Amino acid sequence: MTQAINSLYRQLPSVDTLLREPAITRLIASYGQTQVVEILRAMQAQARFTIREQQALPEWSHDWAASLQRRLDKAQTSALKPVFNLSGTVLHTNLGRALLAESAIDAVAQAMRSPVTLEYSLDGAGRGHRDRALADLLCTLTGAEDACIVNNNAAAVLLVLATVASGREVIVSRGELVEIGGAFRIPDVMRQAGCRLVEVGTTNRTHLKDYRQAINADTGMLMKVHTSNYQIEGFTADVAGEALAKLGMAAQIPTAVDLGSGSMIDMTQYGLPAEPMPQDYLNCGIDLVTFSGDKLLGGPQAGIIVGKKPWIDAIQQHPLKRALRADKMTLAALEATLRLYQHPEQLHQKLPTLRLLTRPQSEIRDMAQQLLPPIRAYYSEKFIVRDEPCYSQIGSGSLPVDRLPSWALTFTAMDGRGSTLEKLAHQWRNLEKPVIGRLYDGRLWLDLRCMEEAHELLQVLVL
């Protein structure tokens, strides 16, 4: 046995020998010698392990160059792979939330290719402020006195709390102590900002008197948090922004609202459920409003703070601002996105998020019926394929109980096994461009709301 194993070891070519093979020499030109040598050494180690454990050469050892090519290709594959989002969730957090408008993509490309006036004032040839151009635009769109941009809405909330109420009490309704994805909780953010949480009211009902009775000399802020990812129904009551703003002004205590999703337009004009807008809270006197850039706004990941200028000035000077600031690519994409809001008549055509949310069910159904015959024929041996009505959701904590009528292709396993559907879903996730559906009610659903080009899906599903 030892002699046979030693014979197998002697069949393994050295790295130097492999590097002289013409096919591998060509790979060095494309991928570089360092990477090629590293992988060849790893392949040799794997081959020795196989010989030791199985007393045989690995199957791939008959063609080292081909195996090396596959490994090099895999090593070069981006961790951020494009996918088909057929999950039924438009703003899918795990899939990157909002798709950017073409103008935003162009703006990012330009910011990457060329030096830009990120913090440079062309008027004085000196240092400017990176938020200034966007702040002016946000003020025009929302009516705010000033604005600030950071890297996400959690950062915006943290920065507001740390600036306005660090070391003091912040009063919040018990029914608004939200937790969002990744176990991010408002009470935890308050602790990190150095604030002391004061809960008022009950889970389902909070009144203005609850805030008023909790105010004392140590109160640093009155805060309202939009419960964007859940809804309490039935015997409920909460405090409107206008009432909270009046109480804050009377008590000389700053007020803040965290909107989370942050729609800047009246969603009902597009047949979508109503969502609070930052300008509504600013108009009624709230001092500071925070919201996301990559949810209903339809832009890049960003946290936006709008409100009274003295507070924004203080926020801009806080040491945390530098740690949480947005980079040039985010600012470029956000500015281009906000520019689209200056032309609201075309917004639903140019802003992908709004376009996908407002697609009529009839249009999605037509696509499903176009895709059905070739896909049904291809999968007919193992699956029953149908087109069926379904409901999409907006996602990312936006309008959690509201659904959008949509249409889907559904796959039911003929053998009745859930494992057969799971195997199919796994197979699709391993495609060159993965297809992400959802398993529900004994079927695999492909919700077509976010699928705008039918032929692209056919190219990957019907091989």
Side-chain angles (χ1 to χ4, degrees), residues 232-279:
I232 300 173
E233 296 181 336
F235 187 58
T236 63
D238 65 351
V239 176
E242 184 175 4
L244 192 67
K246 288 181 179 179
L247 177 60
M249 286 185 278
Q252 296 186 322
I253 297 172
T255 53
V257 173
D258 172 26
L259 281 182
S261 296
S263 172
M264 281 182 38
I265 54 171
D266 179 8
M267 303 295 282
T268 62
Q269 66 182 300
Y270 299 102
L272 297 169
E275 180 80 354
M277 298 182 289
Q279 49 267 47

Side-chain angles (χ1 to χ4, degrees), residues 297-316:
L297 183 68
Q301 177 180 298
I304 300 170
I305 309 169
V306 292
K308 303 288 178 61
K309 183 170 176 52
W311 285 121
I312 297 293
D313 287 343
I315 288 169
Q316 293 284 18

Side-chain angles (χ1 to χ4, degrees), residues 1-14 44-58 64:
M1 180 68 73
T2 301
Q3 185 176 359
I5 291 178
N6 288 336
S7 175
L8 292 172
Y9 280 134
R10 285 193 293 271
Q11 294 181 48
L12 296 179
S14 68
Q44 281 193 328
Q46 181 186 351
R48 293 189 189 100
F49 177 83
T50 303
I51 292 170
R52 186 171 64 251
E53 296 298 319
Q54 302 176 16
Q55 292 78 52
L57 290 167
W64 284 72

Side-chain angles (χ1 to χ4, degrees), residues 18 21 23-24 43 58-70:
L18 290 167
E21 288 189 10
I24 292 181
M43 291 169 67
E59 292 182 3
W60 50 261
S61 63
H62 67 281
D63 192 341
W64 284 72
S67 182
L68 175 62
Q69 175 79 71
R70 289 192 294 271

Side-chain angles (χ1 to χ4, degrees), residues 314-334:
I315 288 169
Q316 293 284 18
Q317 295 167 18
H318 195 282
L320 271 177
K321 174 54 168 50
R322 184 174 181 85
L324 303 175
R325 68 185 182 179
D327 73 343
K328 64 178 181 179
M329 290 174 283
T330 298
L331 295 174
L334 183 57

Side-chain angles (χ1 to χ4, degrees), residues 241-459:
E242 184 175 4
L244 192 67
K246 288 181 179 179
L247 177 60
M249 286 185 278
Q252 296 186 322
I253 297 172
T255 53
V257 173
D258 172 26
L259 281 182
S261 296
S263 172
M264 281 182 38
I265 54 171
D266 179 8
M267 303 295 282
T268 62
Q269 66 182 300
Y270 299 102
L272 297 169
E275 180 80 354
M277 298 182 289
Q279 49 267 47
D280 293 337
Y281 285 106
L282 295 173
N283 289 340
C284 69
I286 292 292
D287 292 299
L288 294 164
V289 180
T290 63
F291 54 101
S292 295
D294 58 342
K295 294 183 180 180
L296 290 176
L297 183 68
Q301 177 180 298
I304 300 170
I305 309 169
V306 292
K308 303 288 178 61
K309 183 170 176 52
W311 285 121
I312 297 293
D313 287 343
I315 288 169
Q316 293 284 18
Q317 295 167 18
H318 195 282
L320 271 177
K321 174 54 168 50
R322 184 174 181 85
L324 303 175
R325 68 185 182 179
D327 73 343
K328 64 178 181 179
M329 290 174 283
T330 298
L331 295 174
L334 183 57
E335 179 181 5
T337 302
L338 292 172
R339 295 282 178 204
L340 296 177
Y341 283 82
Q342 295 180 306
H343 194 174
E345 297 82 5
Q346 294 186 357
L347 190 61
H348 73 288
Q349 298 171 348
K350 294 190 174 182
L351 193 67
T353 294
L354 191 57
R355 186 173 69 244
L356 294 176
L357 291 176
T358 57
R359 284 186 74 191
Q361 187 185 38
S362 59
E363 177 185 308
I364 306 170
R365 180 196 61 210
D366 290 346
M367 175 177 285
Q369 293 174 350
Q370 175 188 346
L371 287 167
L372 182 61
I375 291 178
R376 173 184 278 166
Y378 188 82
Y379 291 90
S380 60
E381 289 186 10
K382 294 184 178 180
F383 300 94
I384 300 169
V385 186
R386 299 188 179 97
D387 70 294
E388 301 185 51
C390 65
Y391 285 93
S392 309
Q393 60 181 6
I394 294 172
S396 290
S398 305
L399 303 165
V401 299
D402 295 291
R403 297 291 184 267
L404 308 173
S406 187
W407 214 271
L409 296 177
T410 65
F411 295 72
T412 305
M414 288 184 178
D415 61 13
R417 295 178 180 175
S419 60
T420 303
L421 288 176
E422 290 172 1
K423 184 178 179 180
L424 180 62
H426 182 267
Q427 174 187 323
W428 287 347
R429 290 197 301 272
N430 283 279
L431 293 170
E432 184 175 349
K433 184 173 181 179
V435 175
I436 310 299
R438 64 185 176 101
L439 289 165
Y440 171 72
D441 195 27
R443 283 168 287 178
L444 179 52
W445 297 71
L446 299 182
D447 185 329
L448 299 173
R449 174 166 290 279
C450 296
M451 186 75 248
E452 296 189 277
E453 297 294 338
H455 71 277
E456 293 182 2
L457 187 60
L458 282 178
Q459 287 175 352

Side-chain angles (χ1 to χ4, degrees), residues 12-23:
L12 296 179
S14 68
V15 170
D16 287 340
T17 299
L18 290 167
L19 291 175
R20 289 194 294 271
E21 288 189 10

